Amino acid sequence: MKGSRFTEEQIIGMLKEQEAGMTTADVCRKHVVSTATFYKYKARFGGLEVSDARRLRALEDENSKLKKPLAEAMLDNAILKDVASRKW
């Protein structure tokens, strides 16, 4: 999956510009993003501060690191159950 070319700080800055009174079209034109992308950012980062966004990113990274060992353990468990259920 391709990452965003904007950091969380930049995205929150865009949202704050729109909240300050600029039209959505002007903000999108200024930062060269589509309106669909802008609204996707607004759905994800709307109402967040920069520190909240950093914390969200850290939690997402930690979650992905924890999911990988869990998936491997579940796969090992399924393999062992399959082997144990067979008759030799």
Side-chain angles (χ1 to χ4, degrees), residues 74-88:
M74 290 175 68
L75 182 63
D76 290 342
N77 192 8
I79 291 170
L80 290 174
K81 281 184 180 179
D82 185 42
V83 169
S85 67
R86 290 185 186 170
K87 292 189 177 184
W88 298 94

Side-chain angles (χ1 to χ4, degrees), residues 21 36 55 59 78:
R55 197 169 127 242
L59 289 172

Side-chain angles (χ1 to χ4, degrees), residues 29-68:
R29 200 173 305 117
K30 178 181 175 184
H31 295 284
V32 191
V33 293
S34 70
T35 55
T37 302
F38 178 82
Y39 286 116
K40 182 179 74 169
Y41 290 157
K42 189 171 185 176
R44 182 163 183 194
F45 295 105
L48 292 180
E49 295 297 325
V50 175
S51 61
D52 296 335
R54 286 184 184 147
R55 197 169 127 242
L56 177 66
R57 170 71 69 180
L59 289 172
E60 287 174 346
D61 290 342
E62 182 183 358
N63 192 21
S64 65
K65 287 178 185 176
L66 292 173
K67 279 184 177 180
K68 187 175 181 179

Side-chain angles (χ1 to χ4, degrees), residues 2-26:
K2 184 179 175 186
S4 175
R5 69 179 188 190
F6 297 108
T7 63
E8 287 91 0
E9 293 86 5
Q10 292 171 328
I11 293 169
I12 292 172
M14 278 189 253
L15 296 175
K16 294 220 182 268
E17 285 178 13
Q18 192 258 347
E19 290 172 2
M22 282 182 77
T23 63
T24 304
D26 290 339

